[in-house]
Amino acid sequence: MEKNLKIIPFGRFSRAFNDMNDRHLDAACRLGIAPASSREEALSRGKHLLEISDCEYYKVDSLTHSIPYLVPKAKDLLETIGKNFIDSLESRGGGSYQILVTSILRVDQDVKRLRKRNGNASANSAHRYGTTFDIAYSRFVTTDERYLIPKEQLKHILAEVLLSLKKQGTCYVKYEVKQGCFHITAR
């Protein structure tokens, strides 16, 4: 059954989520690990990184250009986003959906491979510090088939959650049109 949920309009996504790379990088340099050239090097920093895997709040997509690790503050932020998204849906009588994490920690090797196929990928990406992740706004994971909620409404609810956290000063957010995701850095 298709269900429409009440959403709160707040304007254009590109205007609300326009934190540029320099802000993301500044926060990433302060909170994150030193960039690693290889995945082995990144994994050797085990005590500074926490593994990210599917949980009750989010699912991790098949990662082709990143590995599932974040610094503790970023992992906490990701869990908060997922929990708040689910709570927002439930408070509006929506079915169960989860957010989908599409990119996490990138090492230099990943960045080089990604730049060959993605013109938006930055050589000096905040993803290299373990503080940054991408959440899809065009794909969500359904955990309950009772209700079909239009993707645009799910996207808007996710945006409401992110805008609230951004206003609280917990993260920077960039709306990435071509990649279909929100690029988020803990601060």
Side-chain angles (χ1 to χ4, degrees):
M1 176 165 97
E2 187 166 318
K3 184 167 191 166
N4 286 306
L5 303 179
K6 181 179 177 183
I7 57 173
I8 304 164
F10 60 81
R12 297 179 61 177
F13 294 117
S14 57
R15 182 168 286 149
F17 304 110
N18 61 355
D19 294 320
M20 300 308 286
N21 194 44
D22 59 335
R23 284 188 167 179
H24 289 266
L25 277 174
D26 181 56
C29 289
R30 280 186 289 103
L31 297 173
I33 62 167
S37 60
S38 69
R39 291 177 175 202
E40 294 76 23
E41 182 184 343
L43 295 176
S44 72
R45 299 177 183 164
K47 66 180 181 177
H48 300 290
L49 294 171
L50 301 174
E51 188 169 8
I52 306 303
S53 59
D54 295 351
C55 69
E56 63 187 298
Y57 305 123
Y58 55 81
K59 295 287 185 203
V60 178
D61 202 8
S62 58
L63 303 175
T64 57
H65 292 86
S66 65
I67 55 177
Y69 292 89
L70 289 171
V71 297
K73 190 167 190 172
K75 182 177 183 181
D76 290 345
L77 173 63
L78 176 57
E79 288 178 359
T80 298
I81 293 168
K83 182 180 184 315
N84 291 359
F85 176 76
I86 290 169
D87 289 349
S88 291
L89 281 175
E90 288 177 355
S91 72
R92 297 168 199 210
S96 297
Y97 285 84
Q98 292 178 315
I99 57 174
L100 182 65
V101 183
T102 59
S103 186
I104 311 179
L105 173 65
R106 295 183 189 147
V107 298
D108 293 344
Q109 292 170 343
D110 295 322
V111 172
K112 285 178 189 171
R113 283 188 309 121
L114 183 60
R115 288 185 52 124
K116 289 179 183 175
R117 53 179 285 222
N118 178 351
N120 286 344
S122 170
N124 196 15
S125 169
H127 282 280
R128 297 170 63 226
Y129 299 85
T131 57
T132 304
F133 50 89
D134 294 343
I135 297 175
Y137 59 69
S138 57
R139 297 185 293 149
F140 295 86
V141 178
T142 183
T143 59
D144 182 343
E145 300 290 334
R146 287 180 296 166
Y147 300 112
L148 175 64
I149 299 171
K151 285 183 187 174
E152 280 301 311
Q153 290 183 10
L154 294 171
K155 174 183 176 179
H156 197 92
I157 291 168
L158 174 58
E160 289 175 17
V161 167
L162 294 175
L163 187 60
S164 174
L165 292 168
K166 181 181 172 187
K167 286 180 176 179
Q168 294 172 31
T170 60
C171 60
Y172 289 118
V173 183
K174 177 71 174 164
Y175 177 68
E176 295 192 355
V177 178
K178 291 182 180 178
Q179 300 307 312
C181 70
F182 289 106
H183 175 78
I184 304 158
T185 300
R187 44 185 294 216

